[in-house]
Amino acid sequence: MDADLESVAAARRCADSAFTAYQKFLGTDPSRVDAIVDAMAKAIEPEAKRLGQMAVDETGYGNVPDKRVKNLFNALSVADYLRDITTLGMLWSDESTKIAAFGEPMGVVAALVPVTNPTSTIIFKVLSAVKAGNAIVCAPHPRGVKCGLETVRIMATVAEQMGAPKGLIQCLDKVTQQGTAELMSHRRTSVVMATGGPAMVKAAYSSGKPTLAVGAGNVPCYVHKSKAASISEVAEQIVVSKCFDYGTACVSEQAVIADKEIARELRHELKLHGAYFCTAAEADRLADVIFIGKRAMNPEHVGQAPERLAELAGFSVPPRTRILVSEESEIGWHRPLSAEKLNPVLAFYEAQDTDHGIKLSHDIAKFEGWGHSSVVHSDDPTVVAKFAAVPTGRVLVNTPAIIGGMGYSTDLEPSFMLGTGTWSGSITSDNVTALHLINIKRVAYESRPWRDIYEQYGEGA
């Protein structure tokens, strides 16, 4: 059978059976739902490394130790967060206004899964969808089907053992663009959760269904001169965040902007922590490796080790190099390395003063990453306040971008889906959670005499 026809048929089967399972799941006691979510999370924990290995083997992106951490973050931190929130039944009531709010499931969630995070994203979306009382069908990237199927198998098996109906948690085993489009637009699908590249996000918003989708991130990281005394710590945070899983997370730093007073020392500390500063010629060749022409990353070179990228670009790097750095002064597609790079590659700018540093940060965020995240390292609250005008949904202060943005080193909601807001065409700028996957019903009693409207505004009928 034609691959597209197979994928479309699989999408229809999954959506229909997921809806049947959802109907059976409706009305399940919230305590039972919580027990199912906990059981799924605990089942993932001992499998985190194996699933990470499967993801690297199948996709060729990232590295196993960091894939394991991503899986565990969702199985532990996200699960801990979900345990403490209420999604179903009465959410709150207010005696003074005579209003109560109740959470109800949305239905069948179509979850699009990126190739860069093929297992961790599934863990996050399955836990969140089920916590909200929904069924979920995952649509992995064609390059991540095997590891996606295995992740779903583990979670679905445990859920069914805990009493969840069969079919509540599924994964497409035949994946093409047409099949994924069919899943998103299917009459049984209630909401789409889309994580991936611009084309996929555009397709999700064109599906005709309510959609939670996130865009690209070109994260600026401004280092203010007030951090001079702790510049080594700042450098370590930047390197650790940018090299994490070989740069496959769009919330990691993409460009560092350093005040001129501390730029030299920051360069030195970055080198001590494993950064290799490319020559101008090396940087140009590196750009040709990472990008295909303009505006498109080469999918074969995403999430690669720095030494591999250097080899492809025709130069060598010292042992234990963790990231590659390109000195830049301009922003735009005429300088491709100023754009988002899903690799351990960083742009470096020198700012003349605070206003210049914030302007550069604003321009970088607006270029190919409007609305996502930004970082400022400063001990001056007035500088942080001025920097907060950068047009991003998250402004992270004195913390690594990836670890802060996903809600580990900050008190942002733990999430593997970071909204980019209307800046870049997303419906939300939040860290998406299970609370985004419920309908909230409000029960409102009369709190003032209805006839008073005519006394206040004029004669009625």
Side-chain angles (χ1 to χ4, degrees):
M1 185 184 293
D2 177 87
D4 287 334
L5 292 178
E6 283 190 310
S7 185
V8 168
R12 290 172 178 169
R13 287 194 303 270
C14 287
D16 281 331
S17 58
F19 181 74
T20 299
Y22 159 69
Q23 288 182 308
K24 295 178 181 177
F25 198 53
L26 269 175
T28 299
D29 188 273
S31 64
R32 171 52 52 183
V33 173
D34 286 346
I36 292 170
V37 171
D38 275 346
M40 290 192 295
K42 289 175 182 175
I44 286 295
E45 188 175 353
E47 301 283 6
K49 182 177 180 180
R50 182 174 71 87
L51 292 173
Q53 184 70 62
M54 288 185 68
V56 171
D57 291 344
E58 186 175 4
T59 67
Y61 295 170
N63 61 77
V64 176
D66 291 339
K67 294 287 189 196
R68 172 183 170 275
V69 170
K70 286 180 176 180
N71 291 338
L72 287 175
F73 170 77
N74 287 287
L76 297 175
S77 294
V78 169
D80 285 345
Y81 167 79
L82 293 176
R83 194 175 296 116
D84 293 334
I85 64 172
T86 300
T87 54
L88 301 172
M90 183 180 285
L91 305 180
W92 52 263
S93 63
D94 188 326
E95 291 296 328
S96 62
T97 60
K98 297 183 179 180
I99 294 177
F102 296 81
E104 296 192 356
M106 288 185 169
V108 176
V109 178
L112 278 60
V113 181
V115 66
T116 47
N117 300 299
T119 57
S120 51
T121 301
I122 286 178
I123 298 166
F124 166 72
K125 291 185 177 181
V126 168
L127 293 177
S128 300
V130 175
K131 170 71 178 186
N134 300 299
I136 181 168
V137 180
C138 297
H141 187 279
R143 195 166 169 168
V145 173
K146 292 180 181 178
C147 60
L149 282 168
E150 179 62 5
T151 306
V152 168
R153 183 196 67 78
I154 293 169
M155 302 181 81
T157 298
V158 171
E160 289 167 23
Q161 290 171 349
M162 293 291 293
K166 185 175 179 60
L168 192 73
I169 304 157
Q170 298 185 60
C171 182
L172 296 183
D173 59 352
K174 308 288 185 184
V175 183
T176 66
Q177 287 184 352
Q178 287 78 0
T180 300
E182 176 67 20
L183 175 66
M184 291 191 291
S185 62
H186 194 277
R187 66 191 181 97
R188 296 303 192 189
T189 295
S190 301
V191 62
V192 177
M193 295 181 80
T195 312
M200 188 273 289
V201 170
K202 182 179 180 180
Y205 276 121
S206 301
S207 67
K209 295 299 175 81
T211 297
L212 293 162
V214 297
N218 194 23
V219 180
C221 172
Y222 174 46
V223 185
H224 184 251
K225 60 187 178 183
S226 61
K227 298 300 290 187
S230 54
I231 203 70
S232 178
E233 167 69 9
V234 172
E236 183 178 8
Q237 290 185 26
I238 293 169
V239 172
V240 166
S241 184
K242 187 56 186 170
C243 76
F244 188 81
D245 203 27
Y246 295 156
T248 52
C250 47
V251 70
S252 64
E253 292 87 346
Q254 299 292 336
V256 168
I257 304 97
D259 279 344
K260 63 181 180 180
E261 291 88 347
I262 49 92
R264 180 177 179 181
E265 185 63 20
L266 181 57
R267 289 186 186 92
H268 176 68
E269 290 295 336
L270 287 170
K271 291 175 184 177
L272 290 179
H273 286 93
Y276 174 81
F277 278 71
C278 301
T279 66
E282 290 170 345
D284 288 343
R285 296 200 300 272
L286 183 62
D288 290 338
V289 166
I290 293 175
F291 293 95
I292 303 174
K294 290 184 178 180
R295 302 178 184 272
M297 278 180 273
N298 187 332
E300 297 304 314
H301 299 154
V302 165
Q304 303 301 301
E307 59 269 22
R308 173 59 178 160
L309 292 172
E311 179 186 4
L312 290 167
F315 62 94
S316 59
V317 294
R320 294 184 294 280
T321 293
R322 302 169 77 186
I323 65 171
L324 306 176
V325 182
S326 172
E327 296 259 14
E328 300 286 342
S329 60
E330 298 178 88
I331 300 164
W333 278 113
H334 61 292
R335 297 302 304 167
L337 295 183
S338 66
E340 181 187 38
K341 307 161 288 294
L342 296 180
N343 271 304
V345 178
L346 194 66
F348 188 97
Y349 295 81
E350 188 168 317
Q352 295 306 306
D353 53 32
T354 299
D355 288 342
H356 186 219
I358 293 175
K359 183 182 186 305
L360 284 171
S361 300
H362 185 288
D363 293 345
I364 289 164
K366 192 172 179 180
F367 173 58
E368 293 295 303
W370 211 354
H372 202 294
S373 305
S374 56
V375 188
V376 57
H377 291 274
S378 175
D379 290 334
D380 185 339
T382 61
V383 171
V384 173
K386 290 179 68 175
F387 182 86
V390 172
T392 57
R394 276 151 298 279
V395 177
L396 308 166
V397 183
N398 296 331
T399 194
I402 184 170
I403 300 172
M406 69 186 189
Y408 184 85
S409 61
T410 67
D411 276 332
L412 293 174
E413 296 85 351
S415 178
F416 246 50
M417 189 172 179
L418 309 185
T420 51
T422 55
W423 292 291
S424 60
S426 176
I427 193 61
T428 182
S429 57
D430 295 343
N431 279 22
V432 175
T433 73
L435 293 172
H436 292 82
L437 297 174
I438 56 173
N439 290 309
I440 299 178
K441 176 186 292 185
R442 288 166 176 81
V443 177
Y445 284 79
E446 184 177 80
S447 60
R448 64 186 65 88
W450 66 268
R451 287 184 177 86
D452 286 1
I453 192 171
Y454 297 115
E455 293 184 13
Q456 184 170 356
Y457 300 123
E459 294 183 5

